[in-house]
Amino acid sequence: MACRISELVLGCRDPEVLARFWCEVLDFVVLDREGDGSIEIGPREGFGGPQPTIILSRRDVPEPGKPRLHIDVNATDRDQDAELERLLKLGARPADIGQTGDEPWHVLADPEGNEFCLLRARLPPL
């Protein structure tokens, strides 16, 4: 009955440069490239293993007052809706960062206002 950190999202100016750097540092490989220039890197065995992946998200200009790193979580034993309800009861609250409502994730803030995302299951429940 928990979540697990599935990916860390790092805002950066040049995802290609950071992907090369972190792949060398961590012995990771590029797992995915998105149309917006974001790159997902992770262990050679791919997404879903014991280590989280890292998404390098293009940000041409750092957003004032916003950290460059946020956490994405996946429920380990329930669907996204049930986990959302559980997180809200624990003190998380919805956060509006300009999402359209069509995203397959929920943006939340912890009790101190730190944003994180609850993803639609990328990992099957345990």
Side-chain angles (χ1 to χ4, degrees):
M1 292 193 161
C3 280
R4 68 181 267 199
I5 296 172
S6 56
E7 42 207 60
L8 301 172
V9 181
L10 178 61
C12 59
R13 284 190 279 289
D14 193 338
E16 290 289 340
V17 168
L18 284 188
R20 284 192 299 274
F21 174 79
W22 285 112
C23 281
E24 286 295 323
V25 170
L26 300 170
D27 193 30
F28 277 13
V29 295
V30 172
L31 299 174
D32 193 21
R33 293 175 188 275
E34 295 293 327
D36 66 358
S38 297
I39 300 173
E40 183 172 19
I41 64 172
R44 294 177 186 284
E45 54 275 6
F47 179 83
Q51 295 184 71
T53 63
I54 299 172
I55 296 178
L56 303 161
S57 179
R58 181 178 301 283
R59 300 281 183 267
D60 292 326
V61 178
E63 298 172 50
K66 183 171 175 137
R68 292 182 67 168
L69 178 72
H70 76 261
I71 295 172
D72 287 348
V73 297
N74 268 269
T76 58
D77 62 351
R78 68 196 78 209
D79 69 21
Q80 184 186 40
D81 291 335
E83 187 62 8
L84 176 62
E85 183 178 330
R86 186 179 84 88
L87 295 174
L88 293 171
K89 285 180 182 174
L90 290 172
R93 63 185 187 282
D96 182 359
I97 60 166
Q99 58 269 43
T100 65
D102 292 328
E103 295 82 5
W105 59 82
H106 294 280
V107 181
L108 303 169
D110 69 15
E112 290 196 6
N114 299 302
E115 294 165 0
F116 67 99
C117 294
L118 171 62
L119 303 180
R120 184 179 307 147
R122 278 189 78 186
L123 299 170
L126 296 175

